[in-house]
Amino acid sequence: MAPLLPRIHFYEIDDQSWFPSFLREKVQAALTLLWTDYLPPFQWISPASLVMKNLQSILGPSIKDYTFIDFCSGAGGPTPEFEREINQALRLGLVDEDRTSPTDAVKTTTTTSNKRKDVHAASTLSNGYPTSSHQSSSSSSTSSSDPSVDFILTDLFPHIPSWSLACARSPHLHYIPTSINATSTPPSLLSLTHRPLPPTTPSSQARRKPFHLFSLAFHHFPDPPARATLHNTLLHASGFAILELQSRSPSSLLTALCLGPLLWLVSWYQFWGDWTHLFFTYIIPIVPAVVVFDGL
């Protein structure tokens, strides 16, 4: 059902060049917390886990064929949790042709439509990962027989401290330390799809294919860059997912307004020791104010 009012694109404070980078990092860390945490009895699973289960259900066994490139990653968002849960399922053999859940049955048509012809139009890929301390040290540990898939964090404003911590926990999570614009995929980023598929994978493709992720990101774009981003995605990706947690509805508006009180409730223990974060949450509440304003 179409909303009664058309979309009105308003600026977001966190996207502005004049917004201090150290405050942007705090806002992005708060958004990552909202992705990965949950608060019983209102939530019994994190939004990241819920979205990941739907994505895994839709892609099915073909999830092993991709390298996932996350654009507009912020402080990491749900991507580290995606990587952890998906690769755990792959290593335990829980993703196979014979495994069908009730969600799979409901989405059979969607799954079939996602197994479309490859629209990947990139030319020859270069070897190796773009330079970063974690990528260069971990790429050598990856075997062609490993069923795990790789996830890449990118952003226009790279959040290196948070990314480094997240990537240190997994050899399959990487980041690009330079600014990446979602409207134009650089050739060096395409090289991340060059890792061979496991020999046991029944696929006609010898290499993994790029899958673009936009986690709570696409609503940031006005119409012209949104069209440019989609055009770039159709040229350089074999699949993509636009993941949003909000809509133009009264319930979504109420949820956005509740984010400020929620951050006041949980930030003191989630960010204990980060006194700058706590100062700009409780004393001068810039972090919750920006999260609420940008979420409306």
Side-chain angles (χ1 to χ4, degrees), residues 119-190:
V119 296
H120 180 52
S123 56
T124 303
L125 302 176
S126 59
N127 288 318
Y129 290 110
T131 302
S132 85
S133 57
H134 178 72
Q135 292 156 356
S136 60
S137 64
S138 66
S139 59
S140 61
S141 66
T142 301
S143 167
S144 62
S145 61
D146 186 354
S148 301
V149 295
D150 292 318
F151 286 77
I152 321 299
L153 301 168
T154 75
D155 201 285
L156 193 62
F157 303 103
H159 199 308
I160 303 301
S162 293
W163 293 358
S164 298
L165 289 174
C167 291
R169 301 186 185 104
S170 173
H172 299 288
L173 184 64
H174 314 279
Y175 67 88
I176 307 300
T178 55
S179 179
I180 299 294
N181 192 322
T183 64
S184 178
T185 306
S188 60
L189 187 53
L190 293 176

Side-chain angles (χ1 to χ4, degrees), residues 30 34 36 51 57 77 94 99 105 115 124 146 153 162 203 211 218 250 252 258 281 285:
L34 295 174
T36 58
V51 169
S57 174
L94 301 180
R99 184 178 179 84
K115 295 178 179 178
T124 303
D146 186 354
L153 301 168
S162 293
S203 173
F211 191 103
F218 208 80
S252 184
C258 290
T281 298

